[in-house]
Amino acid sequence: MPAVFLTIDTELVWRHHVAGLPIATQFERSFEPAGVGISYQLEILRDFGLNACFFIDPMPAHVYGLAPIRRIVETILAAGQEVQLHLHPNWYGAMVGDQGRNHGPFELIGRSPDEQADFIAQARALLIEAGAPPPIAFRAGSYAADDATLAALAGLGFTYDSSHNGSMQPWPSRVGLAPAQVAPCRHAGVIELPVSLIEERPGRLRTFQICALSAAEMRAALDHAVTADHAAVVIVSHGFELANRAGTGANAVHVRRFEALCAMLAESGDSLATTRFDSRAPLPLDRRDTPLPPSEARLRWRQAEQLWSNMVAEHAA
């Protein structure tokens, strides 16, 4: 039975900082946009009895202090969900009101192993100071990790990484695994849980992400994982993903997909149980799991739905 990791990358959105918005507005539009942010997602997860992992980026604390990070950590932990570590290093060196002129590197990759380890150690310390348990799992911002990142994680005592995304190779996802690797494996000192993928066209991969797949594609991917007895399914969302880019209105398509996905997982609990990294349940490693094969009908439906989303839902006030 596949272990399902429903993961939600949770971060202060850089574009709102660049726009010079007050921190209270940045918080609202990043974490609680238009009533469909973290609190809403936690409520839906509770209603359906699902587990989720919120990968939180604490690096904005270098600019705005720990209070915003502590607030969101407390909200997630109070709801009984899991917090693990996310990291966008560009926040290092930024300043209030600089509108993005000052920043650190936008990707971890390309930095020396020692520099990568330093960034991760900083972020881990900030997350713990914000009230989270010591993290054991990691996802790099923009999936920008390589084998040096994983080695740094291993040296810092992490058990899991979930940065490998074959649809974004060779840049910025550069972990040394095949693009179509979706099965958990031991690699560079940690257990790598790649993000799940579908093959939308022959040889073209797409992330199992709520803003990227239609409900029909998600259903087909889950059914495929069960039928093929995959070791794990790793699903991606973001705290802000159910709203438009401005964070001022709900994206009806994405909201509907999130609710549909949660309903699917709840209905399939006997064959698709949502789990947590901190359960440390043994995972079968090194299977030959493969992404869902392409379907022209599913692709065309999603393209039509996405066009409607871009034209109507994305411009909701």
Side-chain angles (χ1 to χ4, degrees):
M1 179 173 71
V4 178
F5 293 85
L6 179 52
T7 67
I8 300 172
D9 292 354
T10 306
E11 60 202 53
L12 203 67
V13 178
W14 179 253
R15 63 178 171 268
H16 299 328
H17 168 77
V18 171
L21 299 177
I23 182 56
T25 304
Q26 290 189 53
F27 183 97
E28 189 68 22
R29 295 189 184 185
S30 299
F31 297 132
E32 301 289 4
V36 291
I38 298 301
S39 295
Y40 164 80
Q41 293 170 35
L42 289 170
E43 179 181 348
I44 298 298
L45 292 167
R46 181 202 64 205
D47 290 348
F48 283 106
L50 302 176
N51 293 304
C53 171
F54 290 77
F55 280 104
I56 296 182
D57 179 11
M59 293 296 277
H62 282 298
V63 184
Y64 296 107
L66 273 172
I69 309 303
R70 183 177 292 113
R71 180 178 166 190
I72 206 65
V73 167
E74 290 174 349
T75 297
I76 293 165
L77 294 179
Q81 297 294 353
E82 178 181 25
V83 169
Q84 296 294 345
L85 184 62
H86 191 45
L87 171 56
H88 283 276
N90 50 289
W91 286 99
Y92 187 78
M95 295 183 291
V96 174
D98 70 359
Q99 297 185 295
R101 288 185 294 273
N102 304 296
H103 56 80
F106 278 89
E107 289 87 22
L108 275 174
I109 54 175
R111 316 305 292 188
S112 73
D114 287 346
E115 288 174 312
Q116 292 202 42
D118 183 57
F119 274 120
I120 296 167
Q122 285 182 49
R124 179 180 63 178
L126 287 169
L127 190 63
I128 293 170
E129 191 176 353
I136 59 168
F138 178 81
R139 176 174 292 146
S142 304
Y143 310 102
D146 57 16
D147 287 356
T149 314
L150 273 57
L153 291 168
L156 290 166
F158 283 79
T159 304
Y160 304 101
D161 177 70
S162 187
S163 302
H164 178 58
N165 183 342
S167 73
M168 300 186 73
Q169 281 190 315
W171 183 271
S173 190
R174 299 187 69 179
V175 174
L177 295 169
Q181 174 79 32
V182 292
C185 62
R186 191 171 294 280
H187 186 74
V190 297
I191 296 172
E192 179 64 31
L193 271 82
V195 171
S196 292
L197 307 165
I198 72 165
E199 193 175 11
E200 65 171 356
R201 289 193 175 96
R204 181 172 171 178
L205 300 168
R206 191 169 181 88
T207 308
F208 193 150
Q209 184 168 337
I210 288 167
C211 71
L213 300 186
S214 68
E217 287 172 315
M218 291 191 283
R219 167 63 77 182
L222 293 172
D223 289 347
H224 171 70
V226 172
T227 301
D229 192 27
H230 282 192
V233 178
V234 179
I235 303 166
V236 178
S237 186
H238 290 80
F240 54 82
E241 191 166 305
L242 306 187
N244 60 20
R245 281 181 59 82
T248 56
N251 184 311
V253 169
H254 295 174
V255 171
R256 187 167 64 246
R257 288 177 182 174
F258 178 74
E259 293 178 353
L261 172 65
C262 289
M264 291 176 207
L265 293 172
E267 292 165 3
S268 307
D270 291 341
S271 56
L272 287 164
T274 54
T275 190
R276 300 164 56 121
F277 291 94
D278 60 11
S279 72
R280 295 183 184 259
L283 288 167
L285 303 180
D286 300 314
R287 289 189 177 177
R288 296 183 179 275
D289 301 340
T290 57
L292 173 73
S295 161
E296 189 69 18
R298 288 195 303 263
L299 173 62
R300 294 305 180 196
W301 172 256
R302 189 236 305 149
Q303 288 174 332
E305 184 184 64
Q306 203 69 42
L307 177 63
W308 183 88
S309 174
N310 292 340
M311 292 176 63
V312 179
E314 182 60 28
H315 293 93

